[in-house]
Amino acid sequence: MAQFALAAKKAQKKEKKQAAVKPSSTPRIMHLAQVLIALSFLVALGPMVESELAATQQQQPAARTEEESEAHCSTCEFRQHSKMMRLHAIKSQILSKLRLKQAPNISRDVVKQLLPKAPPLQQLLDQYDVLGDDSKDSVIDDDDDDDHATTETIMTMATEPDPIVQVDRKPKCCFFSFSPKIQANRIVRAQLWVHLRAAEEATTVFLQISRLMPVTDGRRHIRIRSLKIDVNAGVTSWQSIDVKQVLTVWLRQPETNSGIEINAYDTKGNDLAVTSAEVGEEGLLPFMEVKISEGPKRSRRESGLDCDENSSESRCCRYPLTVDFEDFGWDWIIAPKRYKANYCSGECDYMHLQKYPHTHLVNKANPRGTAGPCCTPTKMSPINMLYFNGKEQIIYGKIPSMVVDRCGCS
């Protein structure tokens, strides 16, 4: 530094001497002196500038990391909020679509008592996988999807008939109640299921179904079906009888449905039909299984952006969500106990609105006049559900718009 200062002084003295001899060279000499002075300052300040630059470079990545962390945290919180909103919506949607004001008050113990231990119910339960999501094979497009559930199968438990058809409170069985909304021409199949106790020896059982009539009419029994069944000793069994024609009449003329009496006599006159809930015979009472026609099925079209919970994606995306009905305390839903519902979350930009270009241009021209696009389901599909309704009937039906297949900005 001292050397540069000494050189500068010498240069100035030299300038004065030369100025006296050659006045025309003065500007060039002064310029050279200024350059030397500037270089001296740069050499002196160089280490300080380098240290400040290095410190700035070290602080910038840390600042960017902190900003990215805050943005990611905000995205996670918004995603969690979207998930909770979806769960609350599912609870209210199920009740609304099943036309229920509140969840049926059916406990797990009551379910065990009412649930038939019969083949048709087991077949329905076998359709569900580990997570209970059987919606993969039965999907309907939203255009054909109604706001309410569509019934496919009804299992109606036997109850005690009206006293008008009883003598000394007998028979205790069986009356089957059906909604007048069921259309007779939509019935595909109607089966009466009866459980037979074990016979002491191999024998032939005569299963008889008789229509109950008011006692005042003077006629109590009108036989409508009769079957002869060979059974082995010590073996219990479920027997099914086609009652489609009988049910069709009941639906078209409800006043004719006063109930039926079921008997299954062996050759010794023992009645093997289970028509009352004895100890150890829970779930073995007679019931009717009614299959109702459904609409056409169509394949699901998969598209859109899919993400997982660990994704750093901020755009509108579909995320996985499994709904557990046991967490809701809804024991009245027999199956599925859980299903994959999915939900939408993420940011939407106006540029995402490619479906309606005119709307996109209007919103772009007047951004304050609209709330902007939201990340919402753009394709949904139904689930099949087996459940008890408020009348303790078992219903197997389709509930629309319960699975998010695709998310988008709209």
Side-chain angles (χ1 to χ4, degrees):
M1 186 70 185
Q3 292 177 355
F4 281 105
L6 183 59
K9 289 180 179 180
K10 288 182 179 180
Q12 289 177 353
K13 289 179 180 180
K14 191 174 181 181
E15 286 176 11
K16 291 179 180 179
K17 292 179 180 179
Q18 291 177 351
V21 180
K22 300 178 180 178
S24 60
S25 61
T26 299
R28 186 182 302 175
I29 294 171
M30 291 181 65
H31 178 71
L32 179 61
Q34 290 173 353
V35 171
L36 289 172
I37 293 171
L39 286 173
S40 66
F41 278 106
L42 286 174
V43 171
L45 298 175
M48 295 177 60
V49 173
E50 288 181 2
S51 62
E52 290 181 2
L53 287 173
T56 304
Q57 290 176 351
Q58 290 178 356
Q59 291 175 357
Q60 283 180 348
R64 283 199 301 267
T65 304
E66 186 175 349
E67 290 175 359
E68 291 174 357
S69 178
E70 290 179 359
H72 182 69
C73 182
S74 176
T75 301
C76 292
E77 291 178 358
F78 183 75
R79 193 181 302 166
Q80 184 66 24
H81 176 72
S82 300
K83 182 191 294 186
M84 297 306 299
M85 291 291 289
R86 172 81 171 123
L87 285 172
H88 287 303
I90 286 173
K91 292 181 71 173
S92 61
Q93 285 172 3
I94 287 178
L95 295 178
S96 174
K97 291 175 182 180
L98 296 180
R99 295 184 173 90
L100 297 173
K101 294 182 179 179
Q102 59 186 9
N105 186 20
I106 299 179
S107 66
R108 193 168 300 181
D109 292 336
V110 173
V111 169
K112 290 180 180 178
Q113 295 177 2
L114 295 176
L115 209 59
K117 303 173 183 177
L121 182 64
Q122 192 57 50
Q123 290 171 5
L124 290 175
L125 292 174
D126 289 343
Q127 293 181 17
Y128 294 87
D129 59 18
V130 176
L131 286 179
D133 181 10
D134 71 333
S135 62
K136 298 169 187 170
D137 299 327
S138 55
V139 176
I140 295 181
D141 285 342
D142 275 345
D143 294 339
D144 299 325
D145 216 2
D146 187 39
D147 290 336
H148 296 93
T150 55
T151 302
E152 294 183 5
T153 302
I154 301 175
M155 293 186 187
T156 303
M157 308 298 114
T159 59
E160 186 172 336
D162 192 277
I164 196 173
V165 298
Q166 292 179 323
V167 175
D168 297 331
R169 299 288 307 274
K170 295 180 181 179
K172 293 288 187 182
C173 186
C174 302
F175 177 76
F176 299 95
S177 176
F178 292 94
S179 170
K181 295 181 181 179
I182 299 176
Q183 300 177 10
N185 59 357
R186 291 189 59 209
I187 296 176
V188 177
R189 184 179 67 247
Q191 299 284 122
L192 172 66
W193 288 83
V194 180
H195 189 75
L196 301 184
R197 300 183 183 93
E200 296 178 356
E201 57 186 27
T203 184
T204 299
V205 175
F206 295 91
L207 180 60
Q208 299 176 355
I209 311 297
S210 302
R211 178 178 156 195
L212 293 175
M213 300 291 292
V215 178
T216 54
D217 290 354
R219 298 180 301 167
R220 289 203 52 242
H221 301 281
I222 298 178
R223 187 173 299 176
I224 53 180
R225 291 301 306 272
S226 182
L227 294 175
K228 186 170 70 171
I229 304 168
D230 294 328
V231 298
N232 297 321
V235 179
T236 62
S237 63
W238 280 98
Q239 303 294 332
S240 64
I241 304 98
D242 182 6
V243 289
K244 179 180 177 181
Q245 185 175 359
V246 176
L247 179 58
T248 300
V249 173
W250 285 351
L251 292 175
R252 290 174 176 167
Q253 302 174 4
E255 69 278 4
T256 62
N257 180 18
S258 298
I260 59 175
E261 184 175 12
I262 303 172
N263 302 108
Y265 296 107
D266 62 11
T267 52
K268 294 183 179 181
N270 299 316
D271 191 353
L272 303 182
V274 178
T275 56
S276 60
E278 303 294 338
V279 177
E281 294 182 339
E282 295 84 0
L284 301 180
L285 288 177
F287 68 94
M288 275 196 184
E289 176 199 9
V290 181
K291 176 71 175 178
I292 299 175
S293 63
E294 54 182 310
K297 296 180 181 180
R298 299 176 181 175
S299 61
R300 179 185 297 176
R301 295 186 298 273
E302 295 286 356
S303 63
L305 193 60
D306 287 338
C307 302
D308 57 38
E309 292 298 333
N310 298 321
S311 174
S312 59
E313 179 62 64
S314 62
R315 293 175 298 172
C316 180
C317 194
R318 184 183 75 158
Y319 291 89
L321 172 64
T322 298
V323 175
D324 192 328
F325 292 123
E326 291 183 343
D327 289 345
F328 291 174
W330 284 4
D331 295 321
W332 56 279
I333 295 182
I334 303 170
K337 291 299 184 184
R338 296 176 296 279
Y339 89 98
K340 300 171 186 175
N342 305 325
Y343 71 100
C344 299
S345 183
E347 298 176 358
C348 284
D349 221 341
Y350 286 111
M351 66 177 61
H352 289 133
L353 294 179
Q354 301 297 331
K355 188 175 181 181
Y356 304 105
H358 175 73
T359 304
H360 167 56
L361 292 175
V362 171
N363 290 340
K364 189 175 181 181
N366 184 23
R368 295 184 180 179
T370 176
C374 298
C375 182
T376 59
T378 57
K379 175 70 175 69
M380 301 189 74
S381 58
I383 62 170
N384 287 337
M385 183 178 288
L386 188 66
Y387 62 95
F388 280 101
N389 64 6
K391 298 180 180 179
E392 297 185 349
Q393 293 177 326
I394 296 178
I395 307 295
Y396 179 73
K398 192 183 300 294
I399 303 182
S401 302
M402 297 306 299
V403 178
V404 174
D405 294 329
R406 184 169 62 246
C407 298
C409 295
S410 60

